[in-house]
Amino acid sequence: MSKYSISQFIQSTKQKDLGQGFFELETERILEVNLNGLVWAKMGSMISYEGNIKFEREGILEHGLGRLLKKTFTGEGSQLMKANGNGKLYLADQGKKITIVDLAGDSIYINGNDLLAFEDGLHWDIKLMRRIAGVLSGGLFNVHLEGNGLVAFTSHYEPLTLMVYPGQPIYTDPNATVAWSGNLQPEFVTDIQLKTLVGRGSGESLQMKFSGNGFVVVQPYEEVYFSDKNS
């Protein structure tokens, strides 16, 4: 049999039940949700499903007026949908690599553009980066999640986790920062010399500074939702 036959193609690419539970990485870029109830997912991330599943946009006042105002300010990047029912749901986001974490009582901040899905029951809230609202346009929010449950987020290519220790801060490019531990609060600092070195169009003079004890996740890719107003 030819290694390029239809049957060989089907065998190598067909869906497989790996028995990993509620969230399962069908491939490194496709998330399978074994749904029996409700899951929150990024709007527009559904690529396929089977079974009896209903999709619903997040209600305008579903989580209170305060979060509505923040969602209005942050724009469409924070829009979520609910998938409710029984079946298999497949999620993806522009071919980005997917990472699953089990919070198990911990908390994490995830860039709003990189949050793919999370279990119902987790407490979550949109956090605005108010201090830089006058400097940057777009990408001004992240999502804080805490409790017990699974979270899936995305990154362009393989993510790198950097450990933050007391007295040893980590600096990152905001455009490449994906997530960080819930006990860290980033500061925004400007390095004029760096901007002079790399050119006015880069926006890399603005950095996120993480101090304390925790971790930061970065990706080898710079998103375009951050821009330096002074460039």
Side-chain angles (χ1 to χ4, degrees):
M1 179 185 298
S2 170
K3 66 178 180 179
Y4 301 117
S5 67
I6 291 292
S7 59
Q8 285 292 95
F9 168 75
I10 293 173
Q11 182 62 31
S12 63
T13 61
K14 72 177 181 179
Q15 184 270 337
K16 302 175 180 66
D17 285 317
L18 303 177
Q20 296 175 348
F22 183 60
F23 280 2
E24 181 174 306
L25 283 179
E26 188 62 31
T27 74
E28 63 179 13
R29 303 177 192 280
I30 298 176
L31 177 69
E32 177 183 289
V33 182
N34 294 296
L35 194 59
N36 183 19
L38 187 149
V39 69
W40 290 91
K42 184 176 182 177
M43 183 74 71
S45 62
M46 186 277 289
I47 60 171
S48 180
Y49 72 92
E50 62 179 76
N52 184 20
I53 301 176
K54 293 183 178 180
F55 300 91
E56 183 181 354
R57 182 190 297 266
E58 180 187 3
I60 293 179
L61 293 175
E62 187 162 349
H63 294 98
L65 181 59
R67 192 175 297 175
L68 169 65
L69 294 176
K70 285 187 284 189
K71 287 176 68 64
T72 300
F73 179 81
T74 57
E76 294 193 4
S78 60
Q79 286 189 352
L80 296 170
M81 66 179 181
K82 293 184 293 184
N84 200 349
N86 294 276
K88 291 184 180 296
L89 171 63
Y90 297 94
L91 305 174
D93 185 14
Q94 299 180 346
K96 295 196 290 183
K97 186 178 177 67
I98 299 170
T99 298
I100 300 172
V101 293
D102 187 349
L103 290 187
D106 292 326
S107 64
I108 191 171
Y109 286 91
I110 300 176
N111 185 295
N113 191 55
D114 299 319
L115 180 61
L116 180 63
F118 58 92
E119 279 195 78
D120 185 41
L122 284 172
H123 175 75
W124 63 278
D125 195 12
I126 296 171
K127 301 293 184 179
L128 298 182
M129 299 180 185
R130 299 180 187 278
R131 296 179 183 177
I132 58 170
V135 179
L136 300 176
S137 59
L140 298 175
F141 71 99
N142 50 72
V143 182
H144 180 240
L145 302 107
E146 61 182 342
N148 292 282
L150 298 171
V151 179
F153 63 88
T154 60
S155 61
H156 288 277
Y157 312 105
E158 287 69 26
L160 172 67
T161 299
L162 303 170
M163 301 309 297
V164 183
Y165 299 107
Q168 301 178 36
I170 292 290
Y171 298 84
T172 67
D173 183 337
N175 298 3
T177 306
V178 174
W180 57 93
S181 50
N183 58 311
L184 297 180
Q185 295 291 336
E187 301 176 64
F188 289 86
V189 296
T190 301
D191 188 333
I192 299 300
Q193 289 183 333
L194 180 61
K195 184 167 185 173
T196 302
L197 288 173
V198 298
R200 289 185 56 81
S202 70
E204 290 183 359
S205 63
L206 188 67
Q207 304 161 19
M208 298 177 80
K209 177 184 178 181
F210 294 90
S211 303
N213 197 341
F215 65 87
V216 182
V217 182
V218 294
Q219 62 183 1
Y221 184 94
E222 294 180 88
E223 297 277 8
V224 296
Y225 42 77
F226 276 99
S227 62
D228 193 327
K229 185 177 179 181
N230 298 316
S231 294

